[in-house]
Amino acid sequence: MGGMWTEGPLCYGGDYNPEQWPARVWAEDVALMRRARVNLVTVGVFAWSRLEPQPGRYHFDWLDQVLDLLHDGGIRVALATPTASPPPWFTLAHPEALPVTADGVRLHHGSRDTYCAVAPAYRQAARRIAGALADRYAHHPALAGWHVHNEYGTSCHCEHTASAFRRWLADRHGDLATLNDAWVTSFWSQHYTDWAQLSTPRATQYLANPGQLLDFRRFWSDTLLGAYAEQRDLLRAANPRLPVTTNYVLGDWVPVDHARWAAEVDLVAVDHYPSAVDIGAEEQTALVGDLARGWARHARPSPAADGTPAWLLMESAPNQIHTAGRMHTKEPGRMLRHSLAHVARGSHGAMFFQWRAPAGGAERFHSALVTHAGPDSRVFREAVELGTALQRLAEVRGPVEASVALVVDAASGWALRHPGLPSELLDHHGEAAAAHRGLWHAGYGCDVVVPGDPLPGYRLLVLPALYLIDDATAEWVREHVHGGGHLLATYLSGVADEHARVRLGGYPGALRDVLGVWAEEFHPLADGEQVTLSDGGTGRIWAETLRPAGAEVFTAYADGVLDGRPAVTRHRYGAGLAWYLSTRPDDDTYRRLLARAARAAGVRPVCPQAPDGVEAVRRRAGRHSWLFLFNHTDRQHRIAAQGVELLTDTTVEEAVTLPAGGVAVLREHPR
Ligand code: GLA
């Protein structure tokens, strides 16, 4: 499945909201889409009040016309179910379906995403509109697939939710004794003797129970997944040939375990809006592409002959990037670079939010392919160039070259957000990003995996503050290293079990034997505080009193209370080698360290001749390979390479010249 989106040409287009415009604009839209070579648009994401202006009374005429127009123009449609934004009549009729915050405040109508995903009235109304769309359009020739909802991520603490949470807990733990044990309710007199005593983690006087917080996140991820699956099943039943998906929203606030969800979607689709405006935007783009590809490995098998996990960049910004207090205008060429960086990492195209900038509404100044100025604009000209570029890359396929596996785990991310931890600076995703950044700058290809994934061909496994490690995961790590794989684990990895209970006997309880070292005490650092390391680098966020138990000291602390004590260690375990970082090195030191660990593991950079700032990604399919080169620096670089450059259709004999901000995609000589 996913095939109808991922087998043809690379997808190009975005969210299209014809309901915001009079019908006369629609024909111009289709003409402009054709000029830009747009071939896929998502229609109807927020159109519920236009489709069902009164309960059970539908207005489909306008959508009929739009779908026919798009079909006549050769543009395929990802038809959305509009359930992320219930209409005003719904909330008026069902105030009990409005969400409640942890503080007990019931939210009001007036934005979007204002519903409780458990409330029976909401679920029923969502099924009804999705069913009506399925009945009418499941066999419309314009349809490439279904786009369910938008960015599942809302939360709620109402009574409907509390009852559903109790049922979920009973299912997970079986009996109260097991739950009490998992949550360590002997602490602060929290022992439960009846399921009715349990509630969602509402606002409390002081710190909440970590087991309860963690289970609530897991429950909510499952709950939203249930809401998605209900619509998916109904759409699938109407036409089993059409793939169904939903667009993932990213961020550590999102109560969704995207890897787990991947098994339930026909295509992993992600929205990506970098939060940085400098090189950080490119670093984030690379990480998100690798994350999405990693999740896609859990999706239902793609029919793509080469077995490449199918995923799609479903939304991105054509122009402005949001940053603190203002929007940053993307520099010329940057939209192309960001889009192709995702394609390099396996996205089957580049999609945007949105096609045409709206004249009003909350997101009136969000960037669009057709700007407020109209098509006579730099952005639209670049959109046309991107359409051409994507067509020229149609032949690129195959897995991305990577020998390093980076573990990212939703539950560890949630657990390191809990109150009562030794430092507020702890952040699993931040640690994953730091490790990924180091690998990216050093030029190493990296796949993202979740605990328990098969690790064939990965020479180096990186655990970035993988706080929660259950026994099976500890065994998985052990087997990898024992069998000859290398490991780099950072502080706090394996400190707690799957219920967020601390593993006793010295940190990190789950990995002491593999790492050959243990920590007796933590020394959390203040925000901005640094410790000096013996290799001249610095450490931030964290430090520990380490006690080697077989490991050798690679770097020591060189000042402060830990002066002279181990900071970074390495340990032979079975046929492998395990590195441990008890602090977060500064970026340069971290990059050098990762390069050292990668070299020791026998990993080579993707393109050793590319300097820092020039990103290289290689896709391979059998004897064929394609090398993507991105010059993120402000000066020209000449990189030794041979093949045919696809964007310009020129033969490269010895080296490719990349101007500042330039991109090249080489079809390399077959092996
Ligand atoms: C998300 C949403 C869109 C829009 C954009 C703005 O991706 O799906 O509806 O709000 O963010 O960045």
Side-chain angles (χ1 to χ4, degrees):
M1 267 292 187
M4 302 189 70
W5 276 332
T6 56
E7 272 169 3
L10 293 175
C11 301
Y12 178 40
D15 277 39
Y16 177 40
N17 302 102
E19 71 276 15
Q20 296 170 4
W21 301 96
R24 68 187 144 72
V25 179
W26 302 345
E28 189 202 358
D29 281 329
V30 174
L32 290 175
M33 285 176 192
R34 287 177 62 82
R35 200 193 310 167
R37 294 181 161 80
V38 160
N39 57 23
L40 179 70
V41 289
T42 298
V43 178
V45 178
F46 294 112
W48 197 343
S49 65
R50 291 294 304 276
L51 291 167
E52 191 183 2
Q54 289 170 18
R57 307 217 13 214
Y58 303 106
H59 278 192
F60 286 134
D61 294 1
W62 66 272
L63 188 53
D64 292 350
Q65 281 180 53
V66 167
L67 294 191
D68 291 349
L69 258 176
L70 289 164
H71 181 60
D72 291 347
I75 296 153
R76 297 179 306 163
V77 172
L79 188 58
T81 65
T83 50
S85 205
W89 59 256
F90 173 79
T91 37
L92 204 61
H94 300 287
E96 83 291 353
L98 286 166
V100 174
T101 66
D103 291 334
V105 175
R106 201 174 274 281
L107 300 179
H108 298 281
H109 192 87
S111 179
R112 65 176 182 189
D113 292 311
T114 317
Y115 56 84
C116 164
V118 179
Y122 169 74
R123 292 286 276 265
Q124 194 190 16
R127 282 195 302 270
R128 196 174 62 201
I129 183 67
L133 286 164
D135 287 347
R136 193 167 183 98
Y137 297 112
H139 294 279
H140 193 289
L143 256 64
W146 295 100
H147 176 301
V148 172
H149 201 86
N150 188 67
E151 299 192 331
Y152 278 101
T154 56
S155 194
C156 184
H157 290 267
C158 74
E159 260 317 305
H160 294 301
T161 306
S163 315
F165 187 39
R166 286 191 278 272
R167 287 193 297 276
W168 184 93
L169 288 170
D171 200 41
R172 175 171 172 83
H173 295 283
D175 54 58
L176 282 171
T178 310
L179 178 143
N180 279 310
D181 184 45
W183 289 11
V184 195
T185 55
S186 49
F187 192 80
W188 280 351
S189 179
Q190 289 175 354
H191 190 85
Y192 294 100
T193 55
D194 192 316
W195 292 102
Q197 296 160 0
L198 286 147
S199 70
T200 65
R202 305 275 296 248
T204 51
Q205 189 72 1
Y206 190 41
L207 310 178
N209 180 301
Q212 182 193 19
L213 289 173
L214 189 56
D215 270 351
F216 184 65
R217 283 287 192 134
R218 289 180 170 131
F219 151 75
W220 198 251
S221 179
D222 287 356
T223 297
L224 293 178
L225 185 55
Y228 161 78
E230 194 169 80
Q231 290 195 37
R232 177 204 58 199
D233 293 348
L234 180 157
L235 299 167
R236 227 180 234 168
N239 181 355
R241 289 183 46 253
L242 283 183
V244 188
T245 192
T246 184
N247 50 335
Y248 289 0
V249 55
L250 309 180
D252 58 8
W253 59 273
V254 180
V256 166
D257 182 342
H258 290 124
R260 251 170 72 76
W261 275 52
E264 304 289 335
V265 296
D266 292 327
L267 170 73
V268 165
V270 304
D271 297 349
H272 185 232
Y273 298 94
S275 59
V277 300
D278 55 9
I279 188 77
E282 279 73 30
E283 294 164 353
Q284 290 177 10
T285 299
L287 173 58
V288 166
D290 288 341
L291 273 168
R293 194 175 66 258
W295 293 327
R297 290 199 298 170
H298 298 259
R300 297 206 296 161
S302 151
D306 57 23
T308 312
W311 71 276
L312 179 62
L313 174 69
M314 194 58 116
E315 281 184 32
S316 55
N319 190 9
Q320 280 100 3
I321 313 179
H322 284 274
T323 179
R326 71 177 173 102
M327 292 175 178
H328 172 84
T329 302
K330 277 192 187 178
E331 296 74 5
R334 211 169 184 193
M335 171 170 75
L336 180 93
R337 259 192 356 263
H338 283 178
S339 302
L340 297 195
H342 282 294
V343 171
R345 291 186 157 72
S347 174
H348 195 76
M351 304 280 292
F352 292 87
F353 181 85
Q354 55 191 326
W355 167 251
R356 187 183 275 278
E363 292 183 336
R364 59 208 172 287
F365 290 112
H366 196 286
S367 63
L369 293 167
V370 180
T371 65
H372 285 147
D376 182 13
S377 63
R378 170 185 74 88
V379 173
F380 190 70
R381 281 187 286 279
E382 291 197 21
V384 175
E385 274 170 41
L386 175 58
T388 308
L390 290 169
Q391 274 197 339
R392 293 191 170 159
L393 299 185
E395 66 177 63
V396 177
R397 61 192 193 283
V400 173
E401 196 174 87
S403 306
V404 181
L406 173 71
V407 182
V408 176
D409 170 51
S412 284
W414 298 336
L416 277 188
R417 283 273 170 245
H418 290 167
L421 290 164
S423 165
E424 288 177 355
L425 302 176
L426 301 173
D427 178 1
H428 168 63
H429 295 285
E431 283 305 322
H436 190 273
R437 198 160 62 230
L439 291 163
W440 186 80
H441 280 282
Y444 294 97
C446 172
D447 278 346
V448 174
V449 299
V450 296
D453 271 355
L455 296 172
Y458 296 117
R459 292 164 178 271
L460 178 63
L461 179 68
V462 180
L463 311 185
L466 188 70
Y467 178 57
L468 306 181
I469 290 194
D470 60 12
D471 292 347
T473 302
E475 195 48 38
W476 173 74
V477 174
R478 233 172 254 132
E479 268 178 29
H480 167 76
V481 186
H482 200 266
H486 287 211
L487 171 75
L488 186 142
T490 84
Y491 64 90
L492 278 178
S493 295
V495 161
D497 71 6
E498 67 273 29
H499 301 295
R501 292 179 302 204
V502 178
R503 289 175 173 275
L504 305 179
Y507 316 114
L511 302 175
R512 281 193 306 263
D513 52 349
V514 190
L515 297 172
V517 67
W518 60 279
E520 187 179 332
E521 274 185 277
F522 298 149
H523 298 268
L525 303 178
D527 201 1
E529 191 185 352
Q530 294 185 346
V531 280
T532 307
L533 302 174
S534 57
D535 60 2
T538 55
R540 297 194 304 115
I541 302 176
W542 196 256
E544 290 172 342
T545 308
L546 284 188
R547 303 260 304 260
E552 60 167 308
V553 179
F554 184 74
T555 309
Y557 289 104
D559 62 11
V561 287
L562 295 175
D563 194 2
R565 287 177 168 269
V568 177
T569 60
R570 54 183 182 181
H571 179 232
R572 289 248 155 246
Y573 180 79
L577 185 69
W579 300 73
Y580 182 64
L581 274 64
S582 65
T583 185
R584 157 83 80 78
D586 62 80
D587 275 8
D588 282 348
T589 307
Y590 205 175
R591 185 186 52 188
R592 280 197 302 274
L593 195 60
L594 283 159
R596 175 92 186 232
R599 265 199 314 276
V603 183
R604 278 172 52 79
V606 175
C607 179
Q609 59 274 31
D612 188 16
V614 175
E615 174 182 5
V617 184
R618 184 175 280 110
R619 307 270 301 268
R620 266 190 204 289
R623 296 174 55 237
H624 302 281
S625 62
W626 294 265
L627 178 65
F628 288 71
L629 293 167
F630 301 88
N631 183 358
H632 300 302
T633 72
D634 54 10
R635 60 197 177 84
Q636 178 173 301
H637 285 285
R638 209 168 142 71
I639 316 288
Q642 293 86 42
V644 175
E645 202 289 312
L646 298 178
L647 298 174
T648 51
D649 195 20
T650 50
T651 302
V652 176
E653 306 276 3
E654 286 175 6
V656 63
T657 301
L658 282 174
V663 185
V665 185
L666 279 110
R667 179 201 304 136
E668 298 180 300
H669 298 312
R671 284 197 286 194

